[in-house]
Amino acid sequence: KYIPFNPTIKRTEVQCNTPEGFLRVTKGAPQIVLNMALDTNPNNDPALGDTVRGQIQDLAERGYRALSLAISRTPEGQEPVWEFQGLISIFDPPRDDTMSTIKEAVAGGVEVKMITGDQKAIAVET
């Protein structure tokens, strides 16, 4: 079963049967997926949250977005216990014509405000 990206929960999910049993895989906003793992899995290292949040900030300061992955092997029908798997970094720079478009808008009297769904550090870097 595929659950498409939902902007409300900020992640997507796949549920499938494997030779080893039922498996869920989720990918999404790193803070959301990290918190799912921290909230549901008592076996997580307490330092995991601080470590991952630091890595997310480091990536953002270099202009990279981050997504994260988690898996759950909890049997179907039970509330999943998530295991954080890691981060995926993505470089998504502004389009080549962004600066000229902004300059044209300003020249035309438009007060430009930049809005991003990314972290402030990403917007500043890119």
Side-chain angles (χ1 to χ4, degrees), residues 72-87:
S72 174
R73 293 183 172 89
T74 308
E76 189 171 10
Q78 295 181 18
E79 283 298 313
V81 173
W82 294 99
E83 301 169 32
F84 187 81
Q85 298 297 297
L87 295 171

Side-chain angles (χ1 to χ4, degrees), residues 1-123:
K1 174 181 177 182
Y2 174 70
I3 301 169
F5 180 79
N6 179 330
T8 302
I9 62 171
K10 298 182 179 173
R11 64 185 184 87
T12 186
E13 185 176 326
V14 172
Q15 301 174 357
C16 59
N17 290 306
T18 72
E20 293 80 29
F22 188 70
L23 177 68
R24 292 178 178 93
V25 179
T26 191
K27 173 192 72 162
Q31 296 85 347
I32 300 296
V33 175
L34 173 63
N35 286 338
M36 289 168 51
L38 293 173
D39 292 345
T40 64
N41 194 334
N43 297 322
N44 281 314
D45 180 341
L48 177 66
D50 290 338
T51 299
V52 173
R53 283 187 281 274
Q55 291 170 340
I56 294 165
Q57 183 63 31
D58 180 59
L59 289 167
E61 288 171 358
R62 293 186 287 140
Y64 291 90
R65 294 184 63 207
L67 295 174
S68 59
L69 297 171
I71 63 171
S72 174
R73 293 183 172 89
T74 308
E76 189 171 10
Q78 295 181 18
E79 283 298 313
V81 173
W82 294 99
E83 301 169 32
F84 187 81
Q85 298 297 297
L87 295 171
I88 301 169
S89 61
I90 300 169
F91 186 58
D92 186 16
R95 292 174 23 162
D96 291 338
D97 64 348
T98 300
M99 184 59 76
S100 62
T101 301
I102 292 171
K103 286 179 180 179
E104 188 176 318
V106 170
V110 175
E111 185 178 341
V112 176
K113 304 277 187 194
M114 298 301 287
I115 299 173
T116 178
D118 292 325
Q119 292 179 302
K120 180 179 178 183
I122 297 170

